[in-house]
Amino acid sequence: PASAYASSSLQQDIYSLAVLLWVMLTGQQPWHGFHYGAILYQVSVLGERLPLPQDPERCPPALAALINHMWAHNPAQRPSAG
């Protein structure tokens, strides 16, 4: 159904926003040097995520918690945009 697609799309957008925040924090290209298939496997199957900076000056704990929530492995556990 269209409503299921819209919900899925929103959850994907939330995940993408988390990756964008990671890029802004680190100044790096996500998954640089990895093949698309390897990224898909690592993220979707293994549940791996990009490493957040450990320095609280650079990535405050509240921001790290929000990003971790935004790229939760289970899309239903990600926050909404509303």
Side-chain angles (χ1 to χ4, degrees):
S3 62
Y5 175 76
S7 176
S8 175
S9 178
L10 175 61
Q11 292 163 340
Q12 293 166 359
D13 289 346
I14 296 296
Y15 179 92
S16 297
L17 180 57
V19 173
L20 178 61
L21 290 171
W22 180 89
V23 169
M24 293 170 64
L25 284 169
T26 65
Q28 298 176 19
Q29 179 181 347
W31 305 287
H32 181 71
F34 285 92
H35 182 272
Y36 179 76
I39 297 167
L40 185 62
Y41 179 76
Q42 289 175 328
V43 171
S44 299
V45 176
L46 300 180
E48 293 183 15
R49 298 297 182 259
L50 296 160
L52 290 170
Q54 297 299 309
D55 180 2
E57 292 284 322
R58 193 161 175 204
C59 183
L63 180 57
L66 176 61
I67 292 171
N68 283 321
H69 192 197
M70 292 171 71
W71 62 24
H73 187 73
N74 180 349
Q77 295 176 342
R78 297 177 190 157
S80 68

